């Protein structure tokens, strides 16, 4: 059988960077659904943006609470149009709150595994153009560990695992880390503990996961931070305005800001340098083969 990804690999290797930035790709995931991934992704992205970074949110969630809905904007085009070769990558990028750029997901991600060689070529060629265009591409994935989500985690190198202090959420978060680790991939995981009552609860939750990961998988899982359980989140979701914009002085917003500062501090002294979109696509292609 002909190697479906060959043309693509050539393309990824020959294409140059379109911009001047080093693009870093982050996947936001969780074991259990409904733990706050989309709200975290959106407000974390806005927080990075307010520090002067250029961010693109890629909605890989086929569930209900989508990124566009959380911002109260309707999306005309989604990844689906890219996969069908109807639109270019630039045509499916839309602007939401505070001009945050995002790509709507919809049903497109289910199709990723069923693309023809030609469609896959087009997809990679288009996504490749994002290299250097933004500082961060953040993928918000859906609930549960689907095949597609797993590929994004494996290809992105950096994964933020969101969990709440609830035991079921903790167990499922660990299950994801364990599964990716068992596949022999070197993904840098970071924990975000959402909906904590106080820092102590956040730390206890993080410790549970990192201790088990250390003991059984021999990997170090750092904690990026905690986000308080705050009624403004639900209010903001209903108003369809990101909580950090609707409630800038809330405890939830403060937690996101602290967490973003932590992230940026670690980002500057990161051991493994950013490998960008090129590396992401190379890995993705191997996984799609
Ligand atoms: N820090 C928080 N404080 C209070 N409530 C929160 C917080 N984070 C999330 N929530 C509540 O949880 C709901 C689900 O959040 P969100 O849609 O972000 O989760 P999700 O993990 O993306 O869900 P899915 O797995 O379905 O994609 C929100 O609508 C809100 O009511
Ligand atoms: Mg979601």
């Amino acid at each position: 059988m002909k190697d479906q990804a060959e043309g693509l690999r050539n393309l990824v290797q020959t294409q140059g960077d379109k911009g001047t930035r080093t693009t870093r790709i982050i996947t936001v995931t969780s074991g259990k659904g409904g733990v706050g991934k989309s709200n975290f992704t959106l407000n974390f992205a806005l927080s990075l943006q307010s520090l002067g970074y250029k961010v693109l949110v890629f909605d890989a969630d086929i569930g209900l609470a989508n990124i566009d809905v959380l911002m109260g904007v309707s999306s005309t085009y989604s990844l689906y149009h890219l996969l069908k070769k109807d639109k270019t990558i630039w045509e499916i990028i839309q602007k939401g709150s505070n001009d945050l750029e995002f790509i709507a997901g919809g049903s497109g991600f289910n199709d990723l595994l069923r693309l023809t060689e030609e469609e896959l070529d087009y997809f990679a060629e288009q996504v490749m153009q994002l290299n250097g265009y933004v500082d961060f591409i953040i993928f918000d994935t859906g609930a549960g560990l689907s095949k597609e989500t797993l590929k994004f985690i494996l290809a992105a190198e950096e994964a933020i695992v969101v969990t709440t202090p609830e035991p079921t959420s903790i167990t499922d978060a660990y299950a994801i880390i364990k599964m990716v680790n068992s596949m022999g991939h070197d993904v840098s995981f970071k924990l975000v503990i959402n909906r904590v009552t106080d820092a102590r609860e956040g730390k206890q939750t993080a410790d549970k996961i990192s201790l088990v990961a250390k003991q059984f998988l021999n990997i170090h899982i750092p904690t990026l931070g905690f986000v308080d359980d705050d009624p403004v989140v639900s209010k903001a979701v209903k108003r369809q305005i990101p909580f950090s914009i609707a409630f800038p002085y809330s405890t939830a917003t403060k937690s996101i800001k602290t967490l973003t500062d932590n992230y940026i501090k670690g980002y500057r002294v990161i051991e493994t340098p950013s490998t960008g979109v090129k590396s992401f696509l190379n890995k993705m292609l191997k996984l799609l083969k």
Side-chain angles (χ1 to χ4, degrees), residues 22 50 60 62 72 82 113 148 168 197 201 205 263 287-288:
T22 305
S50 71
I62 51 169
L82 184 74
L113 303 177
E148 291 83 7
T168 40
T197 22
E201 187 184 42
T205 307
Y263 179 82
L287 294 164
L288 287 173

Side-chain angles (χ1 to χ4, degrees), residues 30 33-39 41 59-67 70 140-143:
S30 72
V35 296
K37 292 178 295 290
S38 300
N39 275 283
T41 303
D59 191 347
D61 191 347
I62 51 169
L64 289 174
N66 291 317
I67 293 293
L70 291 177
D140 174 28
T141 66

